[in-house]
Amino acid sequence: MIIVNSETLNTLDSYSKNKYKYGFVTDIDSEKPRKGLNEKIIKYISSKKNEPSWLLEWRLSSFRKWKKMKEPDWANLNFPKIDYQDIYYYSAPKGFKDKPKDLSEVDPKLIETYNKLGIPLEEQKVLAGVAVDVVFDSVSVATTYKGELEKLGIIFCSIGEAIQKHPNLIKKYLGSVIPPGDHSFSALNSAVFTDGSFVYIPKNVKCPMELSTYFRINSENTGQFERTLIIADKGSYVSYLEGCTAPKRDDNQLHAANVELIALEDAEIKYSTVQNWYPGDEEGKGGIYNFVTKRGLCAGKNSKISWTQVETGSAITWKYPSCILKGDNSIGEFYSVAITNNYQQADTGTKMTHIGKNTKSKIISKGISLGKSQNTYRGEVTFLRKSDKARNYTQCDSLLVGNQCGAHTVPYIDSKNNTAVIEHEASTSKINEDQLYYCRQRGLSHEEAVSLIVNGFCKQVLQELPMEFAVEAQKLVSISLEGSVG
Amino acid sequence: MNILDNYQKNKKNIFFTENKDVQNYREKLLTIFENDRFDRKNNESLKNINLKNFFDFKYKYLVPEEISVINNYQDDNYSIVSINGQCSNFKDDKIEITKILDEDYNDFSKNNIIEKNDHFVNLNSLFLNSGFKIVIKKNNNIKIKISNIVTDDALTIFQKNNYFCEEGSSVSLIEEYENKNNSTSNILNVIKLEKNSKFNHFLIQDNSPNHNLIITSHSSCKKASTYNQKVYNFSEGYVRNFHYSKLLETNSEADLQGIFFLKDNNTSNNKTFVKHLAGECKSNQVYKGILNDRAKATYFSNTHVDQVAQKTEGYQLSKGILLSDNASYFSKPELKIYADDVKCSHGSTIGPIDENAIFYLRSRGMSKIAATKMLISSFINEELSSIDDEQMFQTIQKKLVRYLSKVK
């Protein structure tokens, strides 16, 4: 026992020294206006993106709402006050106007950045068959496999492009799931969002490939305000991947994305995220502030929305991918792994609102805290009066490694229907010494044993990820534990 | 009438208005009430309640004319009748009962407040007009029964009771609340357990529809002491049960349990909170509720494990059965854990009565109502069968039958 304990201490120590692997900066000149948030900058963004006047008006009214709002303060997070006037709200890679039509025309430095990350666009194109909409500092740079998707009538482009080409869809659905006045971050995003993805899957089309976007924050002090909108029309299916890595920075960067999903009758949307923003160094300096609003609306009957997330990065994570189960028989799912280390703080979970009859939801959340981090699961399940025979199952487990971290579980359960059934369970414990002993007895090193146990702990969630992501996610979990143990 | 007016007009009826510390503390409370927006959505103590009833009330208190008698029968059994929150002084070699003192008041306001935003506790501290203190002496094993009686209509009783269990003592306390008048009782119990002591606390609540009962308790346990609490709520009026427990030293235990039966328009708010401040302690929080008609209930449970509290075991369970379309139940089982070598869990279920079980019983010839009643009884059977006291068991059984007779 004593040997194991001292080893655990060593591993913790070495883990805390494990440097962020993707910490590098690509030197690309950014074209940007001044810092600060005011009506002028919103007008600037809007005119830069050549937006119609109704959208500018929408942005401005969101901004006015934001001015009256306070940040939500109920989360279990501690961070210095955000100075919204000290942030750039728009930056685009230089020469964006002559957008390359082919990957070979893309800035070689950009390609190099992705190569360092191990996600070469070219290779991915050939090997994985994934269409990639790369967001590099707020502006979409390259989109592949577009033609193939177009043949099926699928629209997959940046939201800026969609505003130009499909204004009716945008006008109908933008802000329909997350109203700008929902809370201060949604209002902020609605006012200054610059780019993001737009997906529309027509009726009865099953999207043949996983759609994917890789986000990267690259320019110092640039907040990213992504806006993603995915609409799955009747009987369609789409799986969307989102992955993030960010280079090392000392100043905190704000990220306040909004993601809206709409699933109409019989449609299914699967949204997977691997989030690995820069978490700050071992003293808790720097790191990304991640305030994301993600919400899906199961508007039609028999629709389904499934969220899967692997959260390992960010100094602060504030994220609650939610489902509004409006259509009868609709299904919402949430699978999450959150790993926090050093001074990271994560307050993440979900919100399932059952409105329709026979709606079902399932929540599986796994939290792992190391170092001096705080990891909170916060989830709400609501059965409204008409949600007859609705069903929810929630399981949230936490694992603590070291005695300076915290793991918290805060579920809110509200039932207003007497035929709805909810089951919730949660547990918190440390890594089982017996399991460790068993593995070590069979010749595994301490590190391998912990990695095996943690991977087993997360398996329920990791297996929900699509193939392309599962590999990356497993690697990420191992990297997160690498050096932390043994 | 608002809080400030009430306070200033009725000062003569309120305890400790002369004490400087108390005065200062009350000044603070008054400013809190003045500035608070009474945010019902985010303040747990205010959920589901009618603010006007509780914060815009008419203060009225009557000092009881007859002083209650304390009976001591069969050596270790004490029977106390508390009238409007007051009872007479008593002393023998096992217990000592006195009026509450200002030093107890100050001790509470300085050391024991866990939640600053609990307006009901603040009201209690502000308008305190009754209460007593019971000391159970070293190495004694006794039983106490307290009947809480309110003599008049429209009274507002603000009562603070202190219980102090000396080393090695053991006490079983049964408190009964059965009132038929439309008064409001706001009671705060402060319970202190010394080393190796044990406190079994039973609260039987059965008030008429217009009687409001607000009970808050703060217990703190020293080394190897145990605090067990069981709440049986059959009230037809509003009841609030907020119970806090602090485990201060090793090997102490807290067990907070409750069952409630609601019907008509009744509302009940419940909360249990256990704070583990030392290692090797155990806690258990179990609440079960049955809601009929348009009843509403909330249950907040919380286990807080401090960084030093290694080898903690903390469990929570909340179960709710909704019998009608219009009933609603809100539960929030929270875990806050800062130590790694712990075993903590919670479980929570809300739903209707199991249809398969009903089908099984009906296929054996039972009517639907009989089957429903049988399943409700079995749902809480565990809580009932654990009652040792035969007399108390009968009382509760009777109340249960009365509740079930209204189930359709």
Side-chain angles (χ1 to χ4, degrees):
Chain A
M1 272 325 185
I2 296 160
I3 300 164
V4 174
N5 283 341
S6 69
E7 253 179 58
T8 314
L9 286 176
N10 287 336
T11 54
L12 275 175
D13 201 35
S14 57
Y15 181 50
S16 59
K17 282 174 189 143
N18 190 23
K19 293 280 192 292
Y20 183 72
K21 290 199 166 181
Y22 304 139
F24 48 83
V25 177
T26 317
D27 211 0
I28 295 178
D29 289 329
S30 290
E31 165 204 15
K32 52 191 169 191
R34 286 196 185 158
K35 283 179 180 176
L37 181 56
N38 46 48
E39 296 207 356
K40 222 170 108 190
I41 185 82
I42 291 166
K43 283 176 188 158
Y44 174 81
I45 292 170
S46 196
S47 74
K48 263 278 176 201
K49 305 199 112 339
N50 201 13
E51 285 172 356
S53 58
W54 68 265
L55 193 60
L56 175 64
E57 206 31 64
W58 193 75
R59 281 176 185 274
L60 290 173
S61 86
S62 305
F63 175 65
R64 279 173 216 129
K65 278 181 189 144
W66 177 80
K67 276 202 285 194
K68 285 186 207 140
M69 282 175 168
K70 276 206 293 194
E71 283 166 33
D73 58 357
W74 35 260
N76 187 17
L77 301 170
N78 270 316
F79 54 92
K81 224 176 142 31
I82 300 167
D83 185 356
Y84 292 98
Q85 301 305 336
D86 197 33
I87 295 171
Y88 293 104
Y89 287 86
Y90 183 81
S91 87
K94 211 177 178 183
F96 174 67
K97 271 182 182 153
D98 335 283
K99 199 174 174 176
K101 286 156 197 75
D102 199 293
L103 279 178
S104 57
E105 286 177 33
V106 172
D107 192 337
K109 274 195 178 170
L110 186 63
I111 300 287
E112 204 183 312
T113 311
Y114 291 113
N115 284 337
K116 279 187 202 163
L117 283 171
I119 38 161
L121 279 176
E122 308 247 28
E123 229 185 297
Q124 221 161 12
K125 226 172 119 179
V126 184
L127 292 177
V130 175
V132 182
D133 178 25
V134 183
V135 172
F136 187 90
D137 261 19
S138 322
V139 172
S140 164
V141 178
T143 307
T144 49
Y145 276 88
K146 215 167 176 179
E148 219 164 286
L149 294 172
E150 264 168 18
K151 270 184 224 156
L152 290 164
I154 294 171
I155 304 166
F156 179 37
C157 59
S158 73
I159 199 134
E161 200 181 326
I163 289 164
Q164 308 298 331
K165 289 186 181 160
H166 312 281
N168 291 338
L169 283 171
I170 295 283
K171 207 168 177 178
K172 187 170 173 194
Y173 290 109
L174 189 71
S176 67
V177 187
I178 308 171
D182 202 60
H183 54 84
S184 89
F185 294 115
S186 74
L188 178 67
N189 179 287
S190 303
V192 298
F193 75 88
T194 41
D195 224 326
S197 302
F198 174 81
V199 178
Y200 173 79
I201 315 288
K203 276 179 197 168
N204 300 320
V205 171
K206 303 259 179 282
C207 183
M209 60 190 88
E210 319 273 352
L211 302 179
S212 136
T213 308
Y214 282 87
F215 295 92
R216 259 179 91 72
I217 292 181
N218 198 281
S219 194
E220 201 164 349
N221 278 338
T222 309
Q224 275 213 329
F225 300 93
E226 239 83 44
R227 187 96 195 181
T228 297
L229 180 58
I230 299 176
I231 303 151
D233 213 326
K234 288 175 186 170
S236 64
Y237 168 83
V238 61
S239 169
Y240 188 87
L241 316 179
E242 177 202 299
C244 320
T245 52
K248 188 160 183 159
R249 292 287 179 190
D250 269 334
D251 284 346
N252 289 309
Q253 293 179 305
L254 179 67
H255 183 85
N258 274 13
V259 176
E260 293 177 286
L261 312 184
I262 295 137
L264 300 178
E265 226 171 284
D266 297 313
E268 181 177 347
I269 302 175
K270 200 173 155 72
Y271 194 104
S272 314
T273 314
V274 171
Q275 188 262 107
N276 187 24
W277 305 102
Y278 176 53
D281 62 15
E282 46 266 52
E283 266 94 55
K285 207 168 159 233
I288 305 288
Y289 286 10
N290 194 18
F291 294 92
V292 187
T293 312
K294 290 184 170 176
R295 201 173 293 166
L297 173 65
C298 286
K301 283 180 185 166
N302 307 320
S303 53
K304 180 177 175 183
I305 287 177
S306 170
W307 299 99
T308 309
Q309 60 172 24
V310 176
E311 302 279 323
T312 60
S314 292
I316 286 173
T317 306
W318 182 98
K319 185 178 178 187
Y320 313 92
S322 324
C323 295
I324 300 168
L325 303 167
K326 194 173 161 203
D328 293 350
N329 310 323
S330 57
I331 298 172
E333 285 176 353
F334 174 76
Y335 300 94
S336 162
V337 169
I339 303 176
T340 52
N341 192 14
N342 295 327
Y343 284 89
Q344 270 177 280
Q345 300 174 62
D347 196 304
T348 182
T350 184
K351 208 168 167 180
M352 295 286 177
T353 311
H354 293 255
I355 301 173
K357 293 185 178 67
N358 285 320
T359 47
K360 291 194 187 82
S361 64
K362 185 175 175 184
I363 300 168
I364 308 282
S365 163
K366 308 277 179 184
I368 299 152
S369 330
L370 305 114
K372 290 178 177 145
S373 64
Q374 300 294 332
N375 199 332
T376 307
Y377 163 82
R378 188 183 299 274
E380 183 176 82
V381 179
T382 314
F383 294 128
L384 296 182
R385 196 146 283 167
K386 301 231 167 99
S387 62
D388 288 353
K389 307 258 179 198
R391 194 104 175 68
N392 164 270
Y393 174 74
T394 306
Q395 186 190 340
C396 35
D397 297 326
S398 311
L399 201 62
L400 290 144
V401 184
N403 59 1
Q404 286 177 312
C405 50
H408 319 296
T409 317
V410 193
Y412 302 71
I413 303 159
D414 196 355
S415 177
K416 293 194 170 72
N417 187 294
N418 73 324
T419 56
V421 178
I422 175 161
E423 286 165 310
H424 177 107
E425 52 183 324
S427 70
T428 306
S429 59
K430 69 171 185 172
I431 289 185
N432 191 327
E433 295 277 355
D434 294 341
Q435 287 175 2
L436 259 182
Y437 180 73
Y438 180 87
C439 293
R440 300 228 39 201
Q441 210 185 20
R442 265 138 195 84
L444 295 179
S445 71
H446 188 69
E447 180 181 348
E448 283 165 341
V450 170
S451 176
L452 192 69
I453 292 165
V454 171
N455 259 300
F457 179 74
C458 305
K459 198 180 171 197
Q460 237 179 324
V461 174
L462 295 181
Q463 70 189 14
E464 292 297 322
L465 288 169
M467 267 308 281
E468 283 84 350
F469 250 18
V471 181
E472 190 179 336
Q474 255 165 24
K475 221 191 280 171
L476 205 59
V477 172
S478 301
I479 288 172
S480 302
L481 296 165
E482 205 173 81
S484 76
V485 271
Chain B
M1 207 189 299
N2 79 19
I3 289 164
L4 188 65
D5 290 350
N6 259 328
Y7 178 67
Q8 273 160 352
K9 274 187 194 148
N10 296 292
K11 261 187 172 172
K12 62 177 194 318
N13 250 333
I14 293 171
F15 277 13
F16 317 134
T17 35
E18 258 86 83
N19 188 303
K20 258 260 147 58
D21 289 341
V22 176
Q23 233 172 15
N24 289 339
Y25 184 65
R26 283 187 174 141
E27 296 282 321
K28 258 192 244 163
L29 294 180
L30 283 170
T31 49
I32 291 177
F33 279 116
E34 232 164 88
N35 300 328
D36 198 88
R37 290 174 293 129
F38 289 91
D39 175 5
R40 266 203 286 191
K41 210 173 158 196
N42 295 316
N43 190 332
E44 290 174 1
S45 69
L46 303 176
K47 219 171 160 90
N48 277 348
I49 62 159
N50 185 343
L51 291 178
K52 210 165 172 285
N53 279 357
F54 295 101
F55 297 100
D56 204 2
F57 60 97
K58 194 170 180 311
Y59 180 92
K60 184 184 169 194
Y61 184 74
L62 289 176
V63 180
E65 286 161 17
E66 48 175 323
I67 262 320
S68 66
V69 188
I70 290 149
N71 292 317
N72 175 9
Y73 56 95
Q74 285 171 8
D75 299 333
D76 297 332
N77 289 331
Y78 295 85
S79 169
I80 300 169
V81 180
S82 138
I83 299 169
N84 293 350
Q86 304 208 16
C87 79
S88 55
N89 291 357
F90 180 86
K91 193 178 174 184
D92 68 5
D93 52 352
K94 285 169 186 155
I95 65 170
E96 186 179 351
I97 304 171
T98 50
K99 208 173 137 180
I100 190 159
L101 300 171
D102 44 3
E103 58 200 63
D104 300 321
Y105 181 101
N106 286 328
D107 177 58
F108 175 80
S109 58
K110 275 182 194 136
N111 304 321
N112 285 297
I113 304 268
I114 290 186
E115 223 160 331
K116 291 215 165 59
N117 278 330
D118 193 336
H119 291 309
F120 285 99
V121 171
N122 291 346
L123 270 189
N124 182 294
S125 298
L126 194 58
F127 290 102
L128 190 72
N129 52 27
S130 56
F132 46 81
K133 178 178 179 178
I134 299 183
V135 178
I136 295 107
K137 293 190 180 154
K138 215 168 162 179
N139 297 331
N140 276 306
N141 184 351
I142 56 161
K143 258 187 178 177
I144 307 173
K145 189 174 170 187
I146 300 179
S147 305
N148 288 282
I149 288 173
V150 179
T151 54
D152 231 316
D153 269 356
L155 293 189
T156 50
I157 291 168
F158 296 94
Q159 182 182 350
K160 235 181 203 114
N161 300 331
N162 271 35
Y163 297 91
F164 188 81
C165 298
E166 287 184 0
E167 208 180 308
S169 63
S170 167
V171 58
S172 168
L173 174 68
I174 300 172
E175 282 195 82
E176 282 181 352
Y177 300 89
E178 293 187 27
N179 287 299
K180 301 263 176 297
N181 40 35
N182 48 359
S183 298
T184 299
S185 303
N186 183 333
I187 300 166
L188 182 90
N189 287 323
V190 180
I191 300 150
K192 288 192 174 165
L193 289 100
E194 287 292 308
K195 208 171 142 187
N196 290 323
S197 59
K198 191 174 179 187
F199 200 113
N200 287 327
H201 198 175
F202 302 92
L203 298 128
I204 303 167
Q205 300 159 349
D206 187 9
N207 295 312
S208 65
N210 294 318
H211 190 95
N212 300 314
L213 177 63
I214 293 128
I215 295 194
T216 315
S217 77
H218 287 261
S219 56
S220 51
C221 297
K222 292 213 175 142
K223 198 168 177 177
S225 60
T226 307
Y227 178 72
N228 294 327
Q229 185 189 55
K230 288 206 165 83
V231 176
Y232 304 92
N233 175 4
F234 292 91
S235 276
E236 290 171 22
Y238 172 75
V239 178
R240 187 188 101 138
N241 277 301
F242 274 29
H243 301 291
Y244 303 85
S245 223
K246 272 197 224 166
L247 301 172
L248 300 171
E249 289 173 13
T250 52
N251 289 318
S252 53
E253 289 176 29
D255 185 357
L256 306 174
Q257 299 194 16
I259 44 177
F260 53 87
F261 302 84
L262 303 180
K263 58 179 201 273
D264 301 326
N265 276 324
N266 201 359
T267 308
S268 178
N269 292 347
N270 303 283
K271 178 173 186 168
T272 57
F273 186 113
V274 180
K275 211 167 182 176
H276 286 260
L277 295 168
E280 289 160 67
C281 295
K282 279 184 194 161
S283 70
N284 196 15
Q285 300 167 55
V286 181
Y287 263 67
K288 289 183 181 176
I290 291 156
L291 298 102
N292 203 352
D293 306 319
R294 292 166 303 281
K296 279 185 200 152
T298 61
Y299 174 49
F300 306 98
S301 57
N302 197 333
T303 310
H304 179 108
V305 179
D306 198 78
Q307 203 170 335
V308 297
Q310 297 290 1
K311 308 245 181 262
T312 286
E313 282 180 40
Y315 303 105
Q316 292 176 23
L317 183 65
S318 112
K319 283 184 172 181
I321 287 187
L322 303 183
L323 295 174
S324 116
D325 282 353
N326 297 313
S328 78
Y329 188 45
F330 180 91
S331 104
K332 183 182 166 198
E334 209 172 320
L335 295 172
K336 273 200 160 18
I337 292 159
Y338 295 92
D340 63 335
D341 192 2
V342 297
K343 281 184 202 155
C344 287
S345 70
H346 66 224
S348 173
T349 59
I350 304 172
I353 288 181
D354 186 1
E355 274 184 27
N356 291 329
I358 294 227
F359 180 80
Y360 177 87
L361 292 174
R362 293 202 66 187
S363 69
R364 265 138 194 87
M366 281 178 95
S367 70
K368 195 178 175 192
I369 294 175
T372 309
K373 287 177 183 175
M374 181 182 254
L375 289 169
I376 294 175
S377 310
S378 69
F379 174 69
I380 48 148
N381 185 47
E382 201 183 323
E383 277 63 35
L384 294 188
S385 59
S386 65
I387 301 173
D388 298 335
D389 189 312
E390 183 59 28
Q391 201 191 347
M392 194 174 112
F393 179 78
Q394 295 299 340
T395 324
I396 289 170
Q397 196 73 32
K398 255 184 226 161
K399 293 182 197 300
L400 176 64
V401 170
R402 193 193 70 208
Y403 178 83
L404 289 178
S405 71
K406 299 267 168 66
V407 173
K408 277 172 206 142

